Amino acid sequence: MKFNYQGIQIFVKDSYEAISEKSAQIVAAQIILKENSVLGLATGSTPIGMYERLVKMYEEGKIDFSEITCFNLDEYYKLKPENEQSYSYYMDKYLFSKVNILSENIYIPSGITDDIEGVCRKYDEEIVNHGNIDLQVLGIGNNGHIGFNEPDIRFEAGTHLVQLDEETIKANARFFDSIDLVPRQAISMGIRNIMHSKKILLLANGENKAKILEKMLFEDVTPNIPASILQLHNDVTIVIDELAAKYIKHRL
Ligand code: F6R
């Protein structure tokens, strides 16, 4: 089912597999139409199925990553790339080691640094030097975060060091052996980086995302619901399942 709500395209699918298929098709179309696309990528559990399908399309010769550049949204502070919970490790595992992307075209903010400000400014510069992101893939946190832009009193513009919310730490504890091992800080692209992307693709599945999706679309734009800023972007596609669409479907 497809809806258009205030210019935002919303696809409601009946399963996680169908979300993964649809989102992979959207990313593949971007890659086919512009071979040197700049992609903004997310980690977390939601896009794993999408990455699996993109790898399959690559193996079947349908898409080529040789001219693609990727910028990841975020990385845990002080987690080394070889740490299995790092987002570097995740991206390698699910996508980068399985397709023909060039290592020099992969950008992930480095959490291993004493010059956090320098790393952040350089990341912003690299994104701008690449002409900004063509297609930014996003998940959404239960608290409305996109990237690791947590609810706050203001929108953070560029790449920055974030203090993770208790809710985010709890939600992400499932990827670690214990909640104590979840890093308390991360480096994240800011809202300006995300909003300067030419297209946005946001994915969500499961009932635990239903309330926040309703808030993001129907409440006023506020830094307290970071994803609400997407109401002001002119090219947003949302791909969700029936469970996540529970509170919005009847309002579309
Ligand atoms: C991941 C990221 C986060 C996740 C969000 C949802 O790079 O920036 O915003 O997209 O926390 O995570 P999942 O998909 O695990 O529910």
Side-chain angles (χ1 to χ4, degrees), residues 42-46 73-74 87 139-141 145-148 174-175 209:
T43 58
S45 52
T46 316
L73 277 168
D74 40 23
Y87 288 164
I140 182 168
H145 72 211
I146 44 176
F148 272 138
R174 69 191 195 278
F175 301 114
K209 299 287 169 72

Side-chain angles (χ1 to χ4, degrees), residues 26-27 30 38-40 133-137 198-201:
I26 293 171
V27 175
Q30 174 67 42
V38 180
L39 304 179
I133 289 162
D134 289 304
L135 175 63
Q136 175 66 58
V137 178
K198 287 158 206 155
K199 293 181 196 152
I200 305 262
L201 170 62

Side-chain angles (χ1 to χ4, degrees), residues 5-244:
Y5 174 70
Q6 313 240 335
I8 299 180
Q9 288 197 86
I10 305 175
F11 291 92
V12 179
K13 299 285 181 186
D14 56 13
S15 66
Y16 176 71
E17 286 64 38
I19 296 176
S20 302
E21 187 62 34
K22 183 73 197 172
S23 51
Q25 282 167 1
I26 293 171
V27 175
Q30 174 67 42
I31 293 174
I32 291 165
L33 292 172
K34 186 179 176 201
E35 290 172 353
N36 62 348
S37 285
V38 180
L39 304 179
L41 299 178
T43 58
S45 52
T46 316
I48 291 175
M50 178 191 84
Y51 291 133
E52 286 169 353
R53 279 157 182 80
L54 286 171
V55 168
K56 191 156 175 280
M57 289 183 202
Y58 164 73
E59 288 167 351
E60 291 166 353
K62 292 179 182 154
I63 51 175
D64 172 19
F65 286 81
S66 61
E67 291 181 49
I68 296 292
T69 299
C70 291
F71 283 90
N72 261 80
L73 277 168
D74 40 23
E75 177 60 287
Y76 288 116
Y77 187 49
K78 300 279 186 200
L79 227 52
K80 295 200 171 110
E82 57 271 24
N83 185 313
E84 291 185 17
Q85 273 74 39
S86 77
Y87 288 164
S88 257
Y89 190 95
Y90 169 114
M91 287 309 303
D92 229 42
K93 176 175 169 187
Y94 290 111
L95 186 68
F96 296 152
S97 67
K98 297 183 171 167
V99 298
N100 64 338
I101 187 163
L102 303 180
S103 57
E104 61 264 36
N105 291 342
I106 295 173
Y107 293 84
I108 300 181
S110 170
I112 308 295
T113 178
D114 289 325
D115 178 19
I116 189 75
E117 197 43 39
V119 165
C120 292
R121 294 299 61 81
K122 182 102 198 314
Y123 207 66
D124 290 343
E125 257 173 54
E126 292 285 9
I127 295 173
V128 171
N129 290 345
H130 281 81
N132 287 315
I133 289 162
D134 289 304
L135 175 63
Q136 175 66 58
V137 178
L138 296 175
I140 182 168
N142 298 335
N143 62 0
H145 72 211
I146 44 176
F148 272 138
N149 290 276
E150 301 283 37
D152 208 340
I153 48 166
R154 66 190 173 96
F155 288 116
E156 193 82 38
T159 305
H160 59 292
L161 183 67
V162 186
Q163 211 61 42
L164 297 177
D165 266 16
E166 273 312 308
E167 202 175 337
T168 301
I169 292 166
K170 267 192 214 142
N172 288 4
R174 69 191 195 278
F175 301 114
F176 291 80
D177 287 339
S178 107
I179 193 165
D180 297 335
L181 295 175
V182 184
R184 269 42 187 173
Q185 289 174 305
I187 305 181
S188 176
M189 271 189 208
I191 292 295
R192 182 185 57 214
N193 307 112
I194 294 171
M195 289 300 280
H196 280 178
S197 307
K198 287 158 206 155
K199 293 181 196 152
I200 305 262
L201 170 62
L202 183 140
L203 317 178
N205 70 300
E207 196 171 346
N208 62 330
K209 299 287 169 72
K211 268 273 161 236
I212 195 64
L213 282 168
E214 183 186 31
K215 286 188 183 172
M216 147 194 179
L217 286 171
F218 295 101
E219 289 199 10
D220 290 343
V221 174
T222 161
N224 206 23
I225 309 167
S228 65
I229 192 85
L230 300 177
Q231 292 177 31
L232 305 179
H233 193 285
N234 65 7
D235 194 339
V236 177
T237 301
I238 296 180
V239 183
I240 53 179
D241 68 356
E242 294 279 355
L243 293 169

